[in-house]
Coordinates of all heavy atoms in Angstrom, one line a residue:
M1 N 38.1 46.4 103.4 CA 39.5 46.7 103.3 C 40.2 45.6 102.5 O 41.2 45.9 101.8 CB 40.1 46.8 104.7 CG 39.8 48.0 105.4 SD 41.3 49.0 105.5 CE 40.6 50.5 106.2
S2 N 39.8 44.4 102.6 CA 40.5 43.3 101.9 C 40.4 43.5 100.4 O 41.2 43.1 99.7 CB 40.0 41.9 102.4 OG 38.6 41.8 102.0
E3 N 39.2 44.1 100.0 CA 39.1 44.4 98.5 C 40.1 45.4 98.1 O 40.7 45.2 97.0 CB 37.7 44.9 98.2 CG 37.4 45.0 96.8 CD 36.0 45.4 96.5 OE1 35.1 44.8 97.1 OE2 35.8 46.3 95.6
D4 N 40.4 46.4 98.9 CA 41.4 47.4 98.5 C 42.8 46.7 98.4 O 43.6 47.0 97.5 CB 41.5 48.5 99.6 CG 40.3 49.4 99.5 OD1 39.7 49.4 98.5 OD2 40.1 50.1 100.5
M5 N 43.1 45.8 99.4 CA 44.4 45.1 99.3 C 44.4 44.2 98.1 O 45.5 44.1 97.4 CB 44.6 44.2 100.6 CG 44.9 45.0 101.8 SD 46.4 46.0 101.6 CE 47.6 44.8 101.8
D6 N 43.3 43.6 97.7 CA 43.3 42.8 96.5 C 43.5 43.6 95.3 O 44.3 43.3 94.4 CB 41.9 42.1 96.3 CG 41.7 40.9 97.4 OD1 42.7 40.5 98.0 OD2 40.6 40.5 97.5
D7 N 42.9 44.8 95.2 CA 43.1 45.8 94.1 C 44.6 46.2 94.1 O 45.2 46.3 93.0 CB 42.2 47.0 94.3 CG 40.7 46.7 94.0 OD1 40.4 45.6 93.5 OD2 39.9 47.5 94.3
E8 N 45.1 46.5 95.2 CA 46.5 46.9 95.3 C 47.5 45.8 94.8 O 48.4 46.0 94.1 CB 46.9 47.3 96.7 CG 48.2 48.0 96.9 CD 48.4 48.5 98.3 OE1 47.6 49.2 98.8 OE2 49.5 48.3 98.8
A9 N 47.2 44.6 95.3 CA 48.0 43.5 94.9 C 47.9 43.2 93.4 O 48.9 42.9 92.7 CB 47.6 42.2 95.7
F10 N 46.7 43.3 92.9 CA 46.4 43.1 91.4 C 47.2 44.2 90.6 O 47.9 43.9 89.6 CB 44.9 43.2 91.1 CG 44.7 43.1 89.7 CD1 44.7 41.9 89.0 CD2 44.3 44.2 88.9 CE1 44.5 41.8 87.6 CE2 44.1 44.2 87.6 CZ 44.1 42.9 86.9
A11 N 47.1 45.5 91.1 CA 47.8 46.5 90.4 C 49.3 46.3 90.4 O 50.0 46.4 89.4 CB 47.5 47.9 91.0
E12 N 49.9 45.9 91.5 CA 51.3 45.7 91.6 C 51.7 44.5 90.7 O 52.7 44.6 90.0 CB 51.7 45.3 93.1 CG 53.2 45.2 93.2 CD 53.6 45.0 94.7 OE1 53.0 45.5 95.6 OE2 54.7 44.3 94.9
A13 N 50.9 43.4 90.7 CA 51.2 42.3 89.8 C 51.1 42.7 88.4 O 52.0 42.2 87.6 CB 50.3 41.1 90.2
T14 N 50.1 43.5 88.0 CA 50.0 43.9 86.6 C 51.2 44.8 86.2 O 51.7 44.6 85.1 CB 48.7 44.7 86.5 OG1 47.6 43.8 86.8 CG2 48.4 45.1 85.0
L15 N 51.6 45.7 87.0 CA 52.7 46.6 86.7 C 54.0 45.7 86.6 O 54.8 45.9 85.7 CB 52.9 47.7 87.8 CG 51.8 48.7 87.7 CD1 51.8 49.6 89.0 CD2 52.0 49.6 86.5
T16 N 54.2 44.8 87.5 CA 55.4 43.9 87.5 C 55.4 43.1 86.2 O 56.4 42.9 85.6 CB 55.4 43.0 88.8 OG1 55.4 43.9 89.9 CG2 56.6 42.1 88.8
D17 N 54.2 42.6 85.8 CA 54.1 41.8 84.6 C 54.5 42.7 83.4 O 55.2 42.3 82.5 CB 52.7 41.3 84.4 CG 52.4 40.1 85.2 OD1 53.4 39.5 85.8 OD2 51.3 39.7 85.3
A18 N 54.1 44.0 83.4 CA 54.4 44.9 82.3 C 55.9 45.1 82.3 O 56.5 45.1 81.2 CB 53.7 46.2 82.5
I19 N 56.6 45.2 83.4 CA 58.0 45.4 83.5 C 58.7 44.1 82.9 O 59.7 44.2 82.1 CB 58.5 45.7 84.9 CG1 58.0 47.0 85.4 CG2 60.1 45.7 85.0 CD1 58.4 48.2 84.5
R20 N 58.2 42.9 83.3 CA 58.8 41.7 82.8 C 58.7 41.6 81.3 O 59.6 41.2 80.6 CB 58.1 40.5 83.5 CG 58.5 40.2 84.9 CD 57.8 39.0 85.4 NE 57.8 38.9 86.8 CZ 58.8 38.5 87.6 NH1 59.9 38.1 87.0 NH2 58.7 38.4 88.9
N21 N 57.5 42.1 80.8 CA 57.3 42.1 79.3 C 58.3 43.0 78.6 O 58.8 42.7 77.6 CB 55.9 42.5 79.0 CG 54.9 41.4 79.3 OD1 55.3 40.2 79.4 ND2 53.7 41.8 79.5
Q22 N 58.6 44.2 79.3 CA 59.5 45.1 78.7 C 60.9 44.5 78.7 O 61.7 44.6 77.7 CB 59.6 46.4 79.5 CG 58.3 47.3 79.4 CD 58.4 48.5 80.2 OE1 59.3 48.8 80.9 NE2 57.3 49.3 80.1
L23 N 61.3 43.8 79.7 CA 62.6 43.1 79.8 C 62.7 42.1 78.7 O 63.8 41.9 78.1 CB 62.8 42.6 81.2 CG 63.0 43.6 82.3 CD1 63.0 42.9 83.7 CD2 64.3 44.4 82.1
E24 N 61.7 41.3 78.6 CA 61.7 40.2 77.6 C 61.7 40.7 76.2 O 62.4 40.1 75.3 CB 60.5 39.3 77.8 CG 60.5 38.4 79.0 CD 59.2 37.6 79.3 OE1 58.4 37.5 78.3 OE2 59.1 37.2 80.4
S25 N 61.1 41.8 75.9 CA 61.0 42.4 74.5 C 62.2 43.3 74.2 O 62.5 43.5 73.1 CB 59.7 43.1 74.3 OG 59.7 44.4 75.1
G26 N 62.9 43.7 75.3 CA 64.0 44.7 75.0 C 63.5 46.1 74.7 O 64.3 46.9 74.3
E27 N 62.2 46.3 75.0 CA 61.7 47.7 74.7 C 61.0 48.2 75.9 O 60.1 47.5 76.5 CB 60.7 47.6 73.6 CG 61.3 47.5 72.2 CD 62.2 48.6 71.8 OE1 62.0 49.8 72.2 OE2 63.3 48.4 71.2
P28 N 61.3 49.4 76.4 CA 62.4 50.2 75.9 C 63.8 49.7 76.4 O 63.8 49.0 77.4 CB 62.1 51.6 76.6 CG 61.5 51.2 77.9 CD 60.7 50.0 77.6
P29 N 64.8 50.0 75.7 CA 66.2 49.5 76.0 C 66.6 49.9 77.4 O 67.3 49.2 78.1 CB 67.1 50.2 75.0 CG 66.2 50.5 73.8 CD 64.8 50.8 74.4
A30 N 66.0 51.1 77.9 CA 66.4 51.5 79.3 C 65.9 50.5 80.3 O 66.5 50.5 81.4 CB 65.7 52.9 79.5
A31 N 64.9 49.8 80.1 CA 64.4 48.8 81.0 C 65.5 47.8 81.4 O 65.8 47.5 82.5 CB 63.1 48.1 80.5
Q32 N 66.1 47.1 80.3 CA 67.1 46.1 80.6 C 68.4 46.8 81.1 O 69.0 46.2 82.0 CB 67.4 45.4 79.3 CG 68.3 44.2 79.5 CD 67.7 43.1 80.3 OE1 66.6 42.6 80.0 NE2 68.3 42.7 81.4
A33 N 68.7 48.0 80.6 CA 69.9 48.7 81.1 C 69.8 48.9 82.6 O 70.7 48.8 83.4 CB 70.1 49.9 80.4
T34 N 68.6 49.4 83.0 CA 68.3 49.7 84.4 C 68.4 48.4 85.3 O 69.0 48.4 86.3 CB 66.9 50.4 84.6 OG1 67.0 51.6 83.8 CG2 66.6 50.7 86.0
F35 N 67.7 47.4 84.8 CA 67.7 46.1 85.5 C 69.1 45.6 85.7 O 69.5 45.3 86.8 CB 66.9 45.1 84.7 CG 66.8 43.8 85.5 CD1 65.8 43.5 86.4 CD2 67.7 42.7 85.3 CE1 65.7 42.3 87.0 CE2 67.6 41.5 85.9 CZ 66.6 41.3 86.8
N36 N 70.0 45.7 84.7 CA 71.3 45.2 84.8 C 72.1 46.0 85.7 O 72.9 45.5 86.5 CB 72.0 45.2 83.4 CG 71.4 44.2 82.4 OD1 70.7 43.3 82.8 ND2 71.7 44.4 81.2
K37 N 71.9 47.4 85.7 CA 72.7 48.3 86.6 C 72.4 48.0 88.0 O 73.3 47.9 88.9 CB 72.3 49.7 86.3 CG 73.0 50.7 87.2 CD 72.5 52.2 86.9 CE 71.2 52.4 87.6 NZ 70.8 53.8 87.6
L38 N 71.1 47.8 88.3 CA 70.7 47.6 89.7 C 71.1 46.2 90.2 O 71.5 46.1 91.4 CB 69.2 47.8 89.9 CG 68.7 49.3 89.7 CD1 67.2 49.3 89.7 CD2 69.3 50.2 90.7
K39 N 71.1 45.3 89.4 CA 71.5 43.9 89.7 C 73.0 44.0 90.0 O 73.5 43.3 91.0 CB 71.2 43.0 88.5 CG 71.4 41.5 88.9 CD 70.2 41.0 89.6 CE 70.2 39.5 89.7 NZ 69.4 39.0 90.8
L40 N 73.8 44.7 89.2 CA 75.2 44.8 89.4 C 75.6 45.4 90.7 O 76.6 45.0 91.3 CB 75.8 45.6 88.2 CG 77.3 45.7 88.1 CD1 77.9 44.3 87.8 CD2 77.7 46.7 87.0
V41 N 74.8 46.4 91.2 CA 75.1 47.0 92.5 C 74.5 46.3 93.7 O 74.5 46.8 94.8 CB 74.8 48.5 92.5 CG1 75.6 49.3 91.4 CG2 73.3 48.8 92.3
G42 N 73.9 45.1 93.4 CA 73.4 44.3 94.5 C 72.0 44.2 94.9 O 71.6 43.6 95.9
Y43 N 71.1 44.9 94.0 CA 69.7 44.8 94.3 C 69.2 43.4 93.9 O 69.6 42.8 93.0 CB 68.9 45.8 93.5 CG 69.0 47.2 94.1 CD1 70.1 48.0 93.9 CD2 67.9 47.7 94.9 CE1 70.1 49.3 94.5 CE2 68.0 49.0 95.4 CZ 69.1 49.7 95.3 OH 69.1 51.0 95.8
E44 N 68.2 42.9 94.7 CA 67.5 41.7 94.4 C 66.5 41.9 93.3 O 66.0 43.0 93.1 CB 66.8 41.1 95.6 CG 67.7 40.8 96.8 CD 68.6 39.6 96.5 OE1 68.1 38.7 95.8 OE2 69.7 39.6 97.0
E45 N 66.3 40.8 92.5 CA 65.4 41.0 91.3 C 64.0 41.5 91.7 O 63.5 42.4 91.1 CB 65.2 39.6 90.6 CG 64.3 39.7 89.4 CD 64.2 38.4 88.6 OE1 65.1 37.6 88.7 OE2 63.2 38.2 87.9
A46 N 63.4 41.0 92.8 CA 62.1 41.4 93.3 C 62.1 42.9 93.6 O 61.1 43.6 93.3 CB 61.6 40.6 94.5
D47 N 63.2 43.4 94.2 CA 63.2 44.8 94.5 C 63.4 45.7 93.3 O 62.8 46.8 93.2 CB 64.4 45.1 95.5 CG 64.2 44.4 96.9 OD1 63.0 44.3 97.3 OD2 65.2 44.1 97.5
I48 N 64.2 45.2 92.3 CA 64.3 45.9 91.1 C 63.0 46.1 90.4 O 62.6 47.1 89.9 CB 65.4 45.2 90.2 CG1 66.7 45.2 90.8 CG2 65.4 45.9 88.8 CD1 67.7 44.3 90.1
L49 N 62.3 44.9 90.3 CA 61.0 45.0 89.6 C 60.0 45.9 90.3 O 59.3 46.6 89.6 CB 60.4 43.6 89.5 CG 61.1 42.6 88.7 CD1 60.5 41.2 88.8 CD2 61.2 43.0 87.2
K50 N 60.0 46.0 91.6 CA 59.2 46.9 92.4 C 59.5 48.3 92.1 O 58.7 49.2 91.9 CB 59.3 46.6 93.9 CG 58.5 45.4 94.3 CD 58.5 45.3 95.8 CE 57.8 44.0 96.3 NZ 57.8 43.8 97.7
L51 N 60.8 48.7 92.1 CA 61.3 50.0 91.8 C 60.8 50.4 90.3 O 60.3 51.5 90.1 CB 62.8 50.1 91.9 CG 63.4 50.2 93.3 CD1 64.9 50.1 93.2 CD2 63.0 51.5 93.9
M52 N 61.1 49.5 89.4 CA 60.7 49.8 88.0 C 59.2 49.9 87.9 O 58.7 50.8 87.1 CB 61.3 48.8 87.1 CG 62.8 48.8 87.0 SD 63.6 47.5 86.1 CE 63.1 48.0 84.4
A53 N 58.4 49.1 88.5 CA 57.0 49.2 88.5 C 56.5 50.5 89.1 O 55.5 51.0 88.6 CB 56.4 47.9 89.2
H54 N 57.2 50.9 90.1 CA 56.8 52.2 90.7 C 56.9 53.4 89.8 O 56.0 54.2 89.7 CB 57.6 52.4 92.0 CG 57.2 53.6 92.8 ND1 56.1 53.6 93.6 CD2 57.7 54.8 92.9 CE1 55.9 54.7 94.2 NE2 56.9 55.5 93.8
V55 N 58.0 53.4 89.0 CA 58.2 54.4 88.0 C 57.1 54.3 86.9 O 56.6 55.4 86.5 CB 59.6 54.3 87.4 CG1 59.8 55.2 86.2 CG2 60.7 54.6 88.4
L56 N 56.8 53.1 86.5 CA 55.7 53.0 85.5 C 54.4 53.5 86.1 O 53.7 54.2 85.4 CB 55.6 51.5 85.1 CG 54.6 51.1 84.1 CD1 54.8 51.9 82.8 CD2 54.6 49.6 83.8
A57 N 54.1 53.2 87.3 CA 52.9 53.6 87.9 C 52.8 55.1 88.0 O 51.8 55.7 87.7 CB 52.8 53.0 89.3
I58 N 53.9 55.8 88.3 CA 54.0 57.3 88.3 C 53.6 57.8 87.0 O 52.8 58.7 86.9 CB 55.3 57.8 88.8 CG1 55.5 57.4 90.3 CG2 55.5 59.3 88.6 CD1 56.9 57.7 90.8
E59 N 54.3 57.3 85.9 CA 54.0 57.8 84.6 C 52.6 57.5 84.1 O 51.9 58.4 83.6 CB 55.0 57.2 83.6 CG 54.7 57.6 82.1 CD 54.5 59.1 81.9 OE1 54.9 60.0 82.7 OE2 53.9 59.4 80.8
I60 N 52.0 56.4 84.4 CA 50.6 56.1 84.1 C 49.7 57.1 84.8 O 48.8 57.6 84.2 CB 50.3 54.6 84.4 CG1 51.0 53.7 83.4 CG2 48.8 54.4 84.3 CD1 50.9 52.2 83.7
D61 N 50.0 57.3 86.1 CA 49.1 58.2 86.9 C 49.2 59.6 86.3 O 48.2 60.3 86.1 CB 49.6 58.2 88.3 CG 48.7 59.1 89.2 OD1 47.5 58.8 89.2 OD2 49.2 60.0 89.9
N62 N 50.4 60.1 86.0 CA 50.6 61.4 85.4 C 49.9 61.5 84.0 O 49.3 62.6 83.7 CB 52.1 61.8 85.3 CG 52.8 62.0 86.6 OD1 52.1 62.3 87.6 ND2 54.1 61.9 86.7
M63 N 50.0 60.5 83.3 CA 49.4 60.4 81.9 C 47.9 60.6 82.1 O 47.3 61.4 81.3 CB 49.8 59.1 81.3 CG 49.2 58.9 79.9 SD 49.7 57.2 79.3 CE 48.4 56.3 80.1
L64 N 47.3 59.8 83.0 CA 45.9 59.9 83.2 C 45.4 61.2 83.7 O 44.4 61.8 83.3 CB 45.4 58.7 84.1 CG 45.6 57.3 83.5 CD1 45.3 56.3 84.5 CD2 44.8 57.1 82.2
R65 N 46.2 61.8 84.7 CA 45.8 63.1 85.3 C 45.8 64.2 84.2 O 45.0 65.1 84.3 CB 46.7 63.4 86.4 CG 46.5 62.6 87.7 CD 47.5 63.0 88.7 NE 47.5 62.1 89.8 CZ 47.5 62.5 91.1 NH1 47.4 63.7 91.4 NH2 47.5 61.6 92.0
A66 N 46.8 64.1 83.4 CA 47.0 65.2 82.4 C 46.3 64.9 81.1 O 46.3 65.8 80.2 CB 48.5 65.4 82.1
D67 N 45.7 63.7 81.0 CA 45.0 63.3 79.7 C 46.0 63.5 78.5 O 45.7 64.3 77.6 CB 43.7 64.1 79.5 CG 42.9 63.5 78.4 OD1 43.0 62.3 78.1 OD2 42.1 64.3 77.8
R68 N 47.1 62.9 78.6 CA 48.1 63.0 77.6 C 48.7 61.6 77.2 O 48.5 60.7 78.0 CB 49.3 63.9 78.0 CG 50.0 63.4 79.2 CD 51.3 64.1 79.4 NE 52.0 63.7 80.7 CZ 52.6 62.6 81.0 NH1 52.7 61.6 80.1 NH2 53.2 62.4 82.1
P69 N 49.4 61.5 76.1 CA 50.0 60.2 75.8 C 51.1 59.8 76.8 O 51.7 60.7 77.5 CB 50.5 60.4 74.4 CG 50.0 61.6 73.9 CD 49.6 62.4 75.1
F70 N 51.5 58.6 76.8 CA 52.6 58.1 77.6 C 53.9 58.8 77.1 O 54.2 58.9 76.0 CB 52.8 56.6 77.4 CG 53.7 55.9 78.3 CD1 53.3 55.5 79.5 CD2 55.0 55.7 77.9 CE1 54.2 54.9 80.4 CE2 55.9 55.0 78.8 CZ 55.5 54.6 80.0
D71 N 54.6 59.3 78.1 CA 55.9 60.1 77.8 C 57.1 59.1 77.9 O 57.6 58.9 79.0 CB 56.0 61.2 78.8 CG 57.2 62.1 78.5 OD1 58.1 61.7 77.8 OD2 57.2 63.3 79.0
S72 N 57.4 58.5 76.8 CA 58.5 57.5 76.8 C 59.8 58.1 77.2 O 60.6 57.4 77.9 CB 58.6 56.9 75.4 OG 57.4 56.2 75.1
A73 N 60.1 59.3 76.8 CA 61.4 60.0 77.1 C 61.5 60.1 78.7 O 62.5 59.8 79.3 CB 61.5 61.3 76.4
W74 N 60.4 60.6 79.3 CA 60.4 60.8 80.8 C 60.6 59.4 81.4 O 61.4 59.3 82.4 CB 59.1 61.5 81.2 CG 59.2 61.7 82.7 CD1 59.6 62.8 83.4 CD2 58.8 60.7 83.7 NE1 59.5 62.5 84.8 CE2 59.0 61.3 85.0 CE3 58.2 59.4 83.7 CZ2 58.7 60.6 86.2 CZ3 58.0 58.7 84.9 CH2 58.2 59.3 86.1
Y75 N 59.8 58.5 81.0 CA 59.9 57.1 81.6 C 61.3 56.5 81.5 O 61.8 56.1 82.5 CB 58.8 56.2 80.8 CG 58.8 54.8 81.3 CD1 58.5 54.5 82.6 CD2 59.2 53.8 80.4 CE1 58.5 53.2 83.0 CE2 59.2 52.5 80.9 CZ 58.8 52.2 82.2 OH 58.8 50.9 82.6
E76 N 61.9 56.6 80.3 CA 63.3 56.1 80.2 C 64.2 56.8 81.1 O 65.1 56.2 81.7 CB 63.7 56.1 78.8 CG 62.9 55.0 77.9 CD 63.5 54.8 76.6 OE1 64.7 54.7 76.5 OE2 62.7 54.7 75.6
E77 N 64.1 58.1 81.2 CA 65.0 58.9 82.0 C 64.8 58.6 83.5 O 65.8 58.4 84.2 CB 64.7 60.4 81.8 CG 65.6 61.4 82.6 CD 65.3 62.8 82.3 OE1 65.1 63.2 81.1 OE2 65.2 63.6 83.3
A78 N 63.5 58.4 83.9 CA 63.2 58.0 85.3 C 63.8 56.6 85.6 O 64.3 56.4 86.7 CB 61.7 58.1 85.5
L79 N 63.7 55.7 84.6 CA 64.2 54.4 84.9 C 65.7 54.4 85.1 O 66.3 53.8 86.0 CB 63.9 53.5 83.7 CG 62.5 52.9 83.5 CD1 62.5 52.0 82.3 CD2 62.2 52.0 84.7
R80 N 66.4 55.2 84.2 CA 67.8 55.3 84.3 C 68.3 56.0 85.6 O 69.4 55.7 86.0 CB 68.4 56.0 83.1 CG 68.2 55.2 81.8 CD 68.9 55.9 80.6 NE 68.6 55.2 79.3 CZ 69.2 54.2 78.9 NH1 70.2 53.6 79.6 NH2 68.9 53.6 77.7
A81 N 67.4 56.7 86.2 CA 67.8 57.4 87.5 C 67.7 56.5 88.7 O 68.1 56.9 89.8 CB 66.9 58.7 87.7
L82 N 67.0 55.4 88.5 CA 66.9 54.4 89.6 C 68.2 54.0 90.2 O 69.2 53.9 89.4 CB 66.0 53.2 89.2 CG 64.6 53.5 89.0 CD1 63.9 52.2 88.5 CD2 63.9 53.9 90.3
P83 N 68.4 53.8 91.5 CA 67.3 53.6 92.5 C 66.7 54.9 93.0 O 65.9 54.9 93.9 CB 68.1 52.9 93.6 CG 69.5 53.3 93.5 CD 69.7 53.6 92.0
T84 N 67.1 56.1 92.5 CA 66.5 57.3 93.0 C 65.1 57.4 92.3 O 65.1 57.4 91.0 CB 67.4 58.5 92.6 OG1 68.6 58.4 93.2 CG2 66.7 59.8 93.1
L85 N 64.1 57.5 93.1 CA 62.7 57.6 92.5 C 62.4 59.0 92.1 O 63.0 60.0 92.7 CB 61.7 57.1 93.5 CG 61.7 55.6 93.8 CD1 60.8 55.3 95.0 CD2 61.2 54.8 92.6
P86 N 61.6 59.2 91.1 CA 61.2 60.5 90.7 C 60.6 61.3 91.9 O 59.9 60.6 92.7 CB 60.1 60.3 89.6 CG 60.4 58.9 89.1 CD 60.9 58.2 90.3
G87 N 60.8 62.6 92.0 CA 60.3 63.4 93.1 C 58.7 63.3 93.2 O 58.0 63.9 92.4
E88 N 58.3 62.5 94.2 CA 56.9 62.4 94.3 C 56.2 63.6 95.0 O 55.0 63.8 95.1 CB 56.6 61.1 95.1 CG 57.0 59.9 94.4 CD 56.7 58.6 95.2 OE1 55.5 58.4 95.6 OE2 57.7 58.0 95.6
N89 N 57.1 64.4 95.6 CA 56.6 65.6 96.4 C 56.4 66.8 95.5 O 56.0 67.9 95.9 CB 57.4 65.9 97.6 CG 58.9 66.2 97.2 OD1 59.3 66.0 96.1 ND2 59.7 66.6 98.2
E90 N 56.8 66.6 94.2 CA 56.7 67.8 93.3 C 55.2 68.0 92.9 O 54.4 67.0 92.9 CB 57.4 67.5 91.9 CG 58.9 67.4 92.1 CD 59.6 66.9 90.8 OE1 58.9 66.8 89.8 OE2 60.8 66.6 90.9
D91 N 54.8 69.2 92.7 CA 53.4 69.5 92.3 C 53.2 68.9 90.9 O 54.0 69.2 90.0 CB 53.1 71.0 92.4 CG 53.2 71.5 93.8 OD1 52.8 70.8 94.7 OD2 53.6 72.7 93.9
A92 N 52.1 68.2 90.8 CA 51.8 67.6 89.4 C 51.0 68.6 88.6 O 50.3 69.5 89.0 CB 50.9 66.4 89.6

């Protein structure tokens, strides 16, 4: 079980790093806009990064399941909808 936790922690850290890179590079612009919006309404930085990483994880999972390219338009739209997460109970 500890190996699963290590894998989960590694995945979360990797996704969070990817979000930090998006914020630093300014690409996509929705990343910084979303971060600023959530910060403005009182979210802590760590919580914002977790929410954004969750959206990235959903898109990566959907991309792999459907064997398709990354959907930047969906990703940016989902980021802008935060703190509301994409419907995870929808059929994929």
